[in-house]
Amino acid sequence: MKALVTGAAGGLGLYLVRALLAHGWHVTGVDDLSRGRDDEDLRAVRRDVRATFAAGDLTDPSTWNQFPGGFDAVYHLAAVNGTRNFYEHPARVLRVNLLTLMHGLEWAARVGCGRFIWTSSSEVYAGLEDIDRLVLPTSEDVPLIVSDVGNPRWSYASSKIAGEALCAAYAREFGVPVVVVRPHNIYGRRMGWDHVIPELIERAQGGERPLVLRGGDQTRSFCFAEDAAEFLVRLAEAPLDLRTVNLGNGREEIAIVDLAHRILRALNVADEVRSEPAPVGSVARRRPDTRRLEAVTGYAPRVTLDEGLPSTIAWYLAHPRPASSVG
Ligand SMILES: NC(=O)c1ccc[n+]([C@@H]2O[C@H](COP(=O)([O-])OP(=O)(O)OC[C@H]3O[C@@H](n4cnc5c(N)ncnc54)[C@H](O)[C@@H]3O)[C@@H](O)[C@H]2O)c1
């Protein structure tokens, strides 16, 4: 079986490449290294003869066109992610996320593939909270809402909602075998430095006391990256009428304040936190309904947050944020 993985040097991408190789796949990875890193982890994977990597910008259609058809699964993960980018570079977020997808769908319509699996985001549900319509756990079938297209915060969610519309249209008009996946708070080693868990580790280790949490009462459901990658591998055989599926661990939901306590205790440092009001627009609770995901893949998360945190913390302590890290 052959897979193309875009964003292969990124946080989730490299976990996926490893999982596909472990399942016996041949993998071609592509990334422009704008956020993903050509580090020792990536080099270790590249030593596998079944893995090849190409550097390239997927907003350019010629990058897609260098790949022939014949992939059993195309995983299109490349995107501009990271909250800081949503505010500081909203045009880049929309441009990259939509152009890479549009060219990918055009290419897939032309050359064909077994499945075209594209990562949307849990952020597509955020607008429902603004109109008091967010139901938890959140199922795939709720309407998707953009609260304010003029607010840069919505650049990312807008790109994902418009991307879902593109996927539906290319499936209908050109028969592209699309599966839209909505990841929810994937965490683990080497997942970038601008997610909530690495940021808390960094600030706790840096000595910030009390650890100030903007929105400590907010909750998230964290899914260990190895579980997320296993789900993605299994989605290559998802039925074509699946269309959309949440990706995450719907079995756990934790308040950020409790997460901070766990991290401080694991670091064996003073356990002092102070919660302040959440930033405007930040989602109060997030928990996916994962019944569809678990039914279609025949898999359930194996790693609880308590089990996944220690190796994550250890990795981030050994790998402080590099000076060149982009959000
Ligand atoms: N990690 C999560 O919890 C989470 C949650 C929701 C959605 N997602 C989505 O899942 C996907 C993977 O997320 P991630 O956490 O691995 O993000 P990431 O930023 O770590 O990885 C994305 C990769 O895409 C690459 N890239 C960006 N622009 C590119 C371009 N023009 N051409 C080629 N490569 C390009 C980056 O260099 C990076 O390596 C993204 O689409 C993201 O929006 C992730």
Side-chain angles (χ1 to χ4, degrees):
M1 301 277 268
K2 284 178 17 180
L4 177 68
V5 177
T6 79
L12 185 51
L14 195 59
Y15 275 93
L16 173 60
V17 172
R18 280 201 208 95
L20 286 164
L21 292 170
H23 280 264
W25 287 64
H26 287 71
V27 182
T28 302
V30 57
D31 201 296
D32 69 353
L33 297 176
S34 55
R35 192 163 195 243
R37 306 181 74 82
D38 189 7
D39 57 9
E40 184 43 46
D41 292 278
L42 179 58
R43 287 191 288 275
V45 171
R46 289 170 77 149
R47 286 195 278 274
D48 190 312
V49 290
R50 293 166 304 147
T52 51
F53 279 83
D57 176 0
L58 292 158
T59 62
D60 180 345
S62 66
T63 307
W64 287 99
N65 290 338
Q66 70 183 292
F67 302 115
F71 289 105
D72 299 287
V74 173
Y75 290 93
H76 180 29
L77 274 57
V80 176
N81 195 3
T83 314
R84 208 164 4 123
N85 286 319
F86 310 169
Y87 288 97
E88 292 177 12
H89 304 291
R92 179 171 170 247
V93 168
L94 279 153
R95 181 179 182 282
V96 171
N97 295 1
L98 288 172
L99 273 184
T100 59
L101 176 60
M102 178 107 57
H103 293 316
L105 289 167
E106 294 275 350
W107 166 84
R110 201 172 55 256
V111 304
C113 60
R115 290 286 181 285
F116 188 95
I117 299 163
W118 177 67
T119 41
S120 175
S121 171
S122 56
E123 276 295 304
V124 300
Y125 299 137
L128 287 170
E129 199 172 73
D130 292 354
I131 56 165
D132 291 328
R133 291 271 304 275
L134 185 64
V135 176
L136 293 153
T138 310
S139 87
E140 290 87 349
D141 302 322
V142 296
L144 307 183
I145 286 161
V146 176
S147 297
D148 179 2
V149 285
N151 179 340
R153 174 190 184 266
W154 288 96
S155 57
Y156 180 74
S158 301
S159 77
K160 295 298 189 181
I161 293 175
E164 292 203 17
L166 272 176
C167 285
Y170 274 76
R172 177 178 290 265
E173 198 170 336
F174 302 110
V176 178
V178 175
V179 177
V180 170
V181 176
R182 294 176 181 154
H184 283 62
N185 290 90
I186 316 299
Y187 78 99
R189 306 173 296 276
R190 196 194 174 275
M191 291 287 295
W193 285 264
D194 291 295
H195 296 285
V196 56
I197 290 179
E199 280 186 1
L200 289 176
I201 296 169
E202 185 175 46
R203 286 166 47 210
Q205 177 69 359
E208 181 184 318
R209 292 300 176 281
L211 194 56
V212 177
L213 308 170
R214 296 193 63 202
D217 56 341
Q218 296 194 333
T219 71
R220 297 291 180 264
S221 295
F222 291 98
C223 178
F224 196 53
E226 285 171 15
D227 280 327
E230 180 66 27
F231 278 125
L232 283 171
V233 172
R234 290 170 182 240
L235 282 172
E237 289 173 9
L240 261 183
D241 59 1
L242 176 70
R243 296 274 184 257
T244 308
V245 64
N246 285 331
L247 172 67
N249 183 346
R251 293 160 184 246
E252 290 188 88
E253 182 182 359
I254 184 171
I256 299 302
V257 68
D258 295 328
L259 174 67
H261 285 308
R262 287 194 203 184
I263 289 172
L264 288 163
R265 285 198 293 268
L267 291 172
N268 213 10
V269 294
D271 186 4
E272 294 165 34
V273 301
R274 189 176 74 229
S275 190
E276 292 188 348
V280 177
S282 166
V283 182
R285 285 183 67 192
R286 195 181 279 155
R287 180 174 197 160
D289 180 338
T290 49
R291 282 175 296 180
R292 186 181 293 179
L293 174 74
E294 295 188 13
V296 94
T297 57
Y299 185 78
R302 295 207 174 134
V303 183
T304 64
L305 186 60
D306 270 338
E307 291 164 342
L309 260 185
S311 62
T312 305
I313 292 172
W315 192 91
Y316 279 99
L317 292 182
H319 299 83
R321 180 191 296 266
S324 61
S325 153
V326 287

